[in-house]
Amino acid sequence: MGDLPETLLLDTARSWLEAEPDGDIRTELAELIVTGEGGQTDELAERFSGRLQFGTAGLRAAVAAGPMRMNRLVVRQAAAGLGRWLLNSVDNAAERGVVIAHDARHKSNVFAIDTARVLAAMGIKSMLHPGVQPTPVLAWSITGLNAAAGVVVTASHNPPTDNGYKVFLETGSQIVTPIDTEIAALIGDFDPLDISIAAEDDALISRLDTSWSAAYVAAASRVRLRPEVSGVQIAYTAMHGVGGDTVAAAFTAAGFDPPVVVAEQQEPDGTFPTVSFPNPEEPGAMDLLLAAARSSGAVVALANDPDADRLGVAIPDTRDSAVGSSWRKLSGDEIGWLFADHILRHTAGDDRLVVTTLVSSSLLTRMAEAHGVHSVETFTGFKWIGRIAAERAAVGQRFVFGYEQALGYLVAPRPLDKDGVTAAVLMAEIAALAEHDGITIQGRLEAIADQFGRYVTSELSVRMPPAAGAKWVQSIEASPPSKIGGVAVESVTSYPEANLVRLILTGDIRLQIRPSGTEPKVKLYGEAVDFDLAELDRLLQALAL
């Protein structure tokens, strides 16, 4: 919409107010209009400056009024664009339908039913999961139902004010480019204030029962590779998300006792009262979990993010002189190394395939070589891991593990997306097997380091507008530095499709830089072997200057 003249801006906002179906959003928008009529139009202008862009992560923004926020009008427009794309691009899409689920965030339930109602008005069948569901349950059910696509309403680990909308393909993997741009273009063809919508009891809208979530739980229990090993004490938090009941059921089905849970965070609550940023990666987000782990005598502490597709892990810091007095969060790469070690030692066949991303540790490639299996590095984002797994299956390669360092893991053949529930079950087995073998999880990591070298990784984020971030990366590509922090740069490799530049410094030190695809910042990644972490941090800081 660009910079609208004040009169047109107010007229546009009034039209949205007339079409807005929710009273709370109407009240908010009416107040903004009154403020705008008084001459203060900055907030209105920001809300109506364009359209919330649909990308490979779908939609994600604060729940509020206007086309740049998440609300029912925006969701209806997105559903119409998705429906049009399905009818144009997927065989028998109307009959096969779309399976839909949602989390416990503000308005997730109405966003889900509105999606079904829009699709029904377009002649497309919809199947709604009951209640709130983890994202992996939705993704897993797509192929079982032979659906043409899946939609989950969630903002994952975003702040409490946000909600989002994520689309999955018929394979159970997330959409990838160019499908996102195709859907986005079709969304733009629809007027968000004039979307046809069916009744909630339309014959094309069906409600699934709990059999699909039960089948998922049964499948999750089968990720165990050493089922004869007894379980150990596990502490767990759902972080106010929707994974708690599913994880407990999966543990029971897998032969483990249910974990000790953080009671204050076990039930779904979209206000997230005990954590301001419900992401296991964020400082302080796992504090209540670590307290529960210490008091319960747990061997390992596990955290799902709110839609349960990611897994955070913490362990007792046995490097501390007072064992048990301190715990440490494992990095996403450390968790990936533990999974890879366990899976590759307890599976067989030279047809096996492991997949990771360009910004994750290169150790997985070394581990794959040692076990004589296939490995692939792909673009950032789990959707690419799912795509590689599907493509390689066609040439006889059997996917056994994939991960990205941002706490995303896939330890099962289905769904082709990250899954924090099956990852929790398998991490519980890793902990149990370690105790059975008379070592700790830290001991497992030390054994990996003894075999392959001590890999160290580090990350740094620099906040800046997306355009400035892209320009920075392009300048490094065009004119690479000869030294960073006094260390010579030996090679520079560009990955245009990933919008990433990789620099190799003397000593095989790897530094990488890429703009974030979802936030106004640039991310820097460092990796080295048998190297001082503080020095690696210094080199990242030097690259950022």
Side-chain angles (χ1 to χ4, degrees):
M1 295 180 185
D3 296 325
L4 296 177
E6 184 175 311
T7 301
L8 181 56
L9 173 64
L10 287 167
D11 287 345
T12 302
R14 293 184 189 108
S15 296
W16 271 73
L17 181 62
E18 291 178 7
E20 173 55 54
D22 282 350
D24 57 339
I25 303 293
R26 286 178 57 82
T27 298
E28 181 213 14
L29 183 53
E31 292 173 353
L32 286 177
I33 290 171
V34 170
T35 301
E37 289 169 341
Q40 299 178 36
T41 59
D42 288 354
E43 180 66 16
L44 267 182
E46 200 281 326
R47 299 287 189 92
F48 289 85
S49 62
R51 173 167 61 86
L52 191 60
Q53 287 304 301
F54 185 94
T56 53
L59 300 171
R60 202 172 290 185
V63 176
M68 292 294 289
R69 297 292 186 267
M70 284 294 296
N71 51 68
R72 292 174 71 180
L73 298 178
V74 166
V75 166
R76 290 174 180 181
Q77 184 187 29
L82 171 62
R84 177 74 57 80
W85 182 84
L86 289 170
L87 293 173
N88 291 347
S89 307
V90 179
D91 290 342
N92 303 315
E95 296 78 17
R96 293 168 61 192
V98 177
V99 58
I100 303 167
H102 66 84
D103 67 7
R105 285 179 180 262
H106 185 42
K107 296 192 182 295
S108 285
N109 57 338
V110 292
F111 291 169
I113 187 61
D114 274 10
T115 297
R117 294 172 67 189
V118 170
L119 294 174
M122 301 178 77
I124 301 171
K125 181 175 75 172
S126 292
M127 299 159 279
L128 286 158
H129 273 283
V132 296
Q133 294 289 348
T135 292
V137 173
L138 177 279
W140 186 88
S141 68
I142 293 170
T143 50
L145 288 162
N146 190 33
V151 170
V152 62
V153 180
T154 180
S156 188
H157 53 272
N158 272 40
T161 54
D162 290 1
N163 212 330
Y165 194 88
K166 188 182 294 185
V167 175
F168 290 81
L169 300 171
E170 59 187 333
T171 59
S173 62
Q174 294 180 54
I175 59 171
V176 296
T177 301
I179 293 172
D180 58 336
T181 55
E182 293 171 1
I183 294 174
L186 293 171
I187 290 172
D189 289 342
F190 289 88
D191 179 356
L193 310 186
D194 187 26
I195 303 292
S196 297
I197 189 164
E200 289 192 27
D201 61 354
D202 189 279
L204 288 174
I205 301 173
S206 63
R207 270 74 173 177
L208 301 174
D209 59 24
T210 59
S211 61
W212 283 100
S213 54
Y216 167 84
V217 165
S221 72
R222 294 193 289 271
V223 302
R224 291 199 62 179
L225 300 173
R226 291 288 300 274
E228 77 281 5
V229 176
S230 299
V232 293
Q233 185 73 280
I234 306 290
Y236 169 79
T237 180
M239 209 163 285
H240 298 297
V242 298
D245 288 348
T246 304
V247 167
F251 268 51
T252 299
F256 295 135
D257 290 336
V260 173
V261 303
V262 178
E264 305 97 313
Q265 298 179 333
Q266 179 68 0
E267 296 303 315
D269 187 339
T271 67
F272 302 98
T274 69
V275 57
S276 59
F277 204 144
N279 179 356
E281 292 183 295
E282 290 295 317
M286 291 172 61
D287 284 355
L288 289 177
L289 171 64
L290 298 185
R294 282 190 290 266
S295 64
S296 66
V299 173
V300 65
L302 307 178
N304 282 141
D305 67 338
D307 69 329
D309 64 352
R310 287 176 170 84
L311 181 74
V313 180
I315 61 173
D317 195 348
T318 55
R319 304 167 302 179
D320 192 284
S321 58
V323 175
S325 64
S326 64
W327 283 63
R328 72 178 186 93
K329 292 196 299 183
L330 299 184
S331 72
D333 284 313
E334 287 178 307
I335 299 167
W337 302 337
L338 288 166
F339 280 132
D341 171 71
H342 184 71
I343 291 168
L344 292 175
R345 285 192 295 113
H346 294 98
T347 57
D350 59 9
D351 61 336
R352 290 174 293 171
L353 168 69
V354 296
V355 187
T356 190
T357 62
L358 289 165
V359 299
S360 301
S361 170
S362 61
L363 177 52
L364 182 60
T365 301
R366 291 277 312 282
M367 298 171 83
E369 290 171 352
H371 287 271
V373 306
H374 303 280
S375 67
V376 176
E377 276 189 344
T378 189
F379 307 141
T380 305
F382 219 94
K383 54 190 173 288
W384 298 107
I385 293 176
R387 181 174 182 172
I388 292 293
E391 290 174 349
R392 293 300 182 94
V395 295
Q397 294 180 14
R398 176 168 50 96
F399 177 86
V400 295
F401 175 58
Y403 93 96
E404 60 180 358
Q405 42 63 246
L407 304 185
Y409 309 96
L410 178 55
V411 300
R414 169 177 161 213
L416 293 180
D417 193 49
K418 54 188 177 288
D419 184 343
V421 177
T422 52
V425 171
L426 197 62
M427 186 55 68
E429 178 175 273
I430 290 171
L433 184 59
E435 182 159 292
H436 177 271
D437 291 344
I439 65 170
T440 62
I441 292 180
Q442 181 63 41
R444 286 280 189 233
L445 289 168
E446 296 293 340
I448 293 169
D450 289 343
Q451 182 177 0
F452 296 101
R454 191 171 303 278
Y455 280 66
V456 293
T457 60
S458 183
E459 296 185 22
L460 177 67
S461 292
V462 180
R463 296 197 69 83
M464 63 176 61
K471 186 176 180 179
W472 182 17
V473 173
Q474 290 167 2
S475 69
I476 291 177
E477 289 178 304
S479 181
S482 60
K483 289 185 177 181
I484 295 174
V487 182
V489 176
E490 296 190 345
S491 69
V492 179
T493 306
S494 296
Y495 297 87
E497 303 91 338
N499 205 12
L500 179 143
V501 178
R502 174 179 290 176
L503 302 95
I504 304 297
L505 280 57
T506 299
D508 205 28
I509 301 164
R510 188 179 78 174
L511 305 183
Q512 301 186 102
I513 178 172
R514 76 173 184 93
S516 170
T518 58
E519 301 173 85
K521 62 186 179 182
V522 173
K523 295 184 176 182
L524 289 74
Y525 308 84
E527 181 182 60
V529 184
D530 298 325
F531 195 71
D532 182 64
L533 178 58
E535 177 64 8
L536 186 61
D537 289 338
R538 185 189 72 82
L539 292 173
L540 283 182
Q541 290 284 355
L543 176 60
L545 294 177

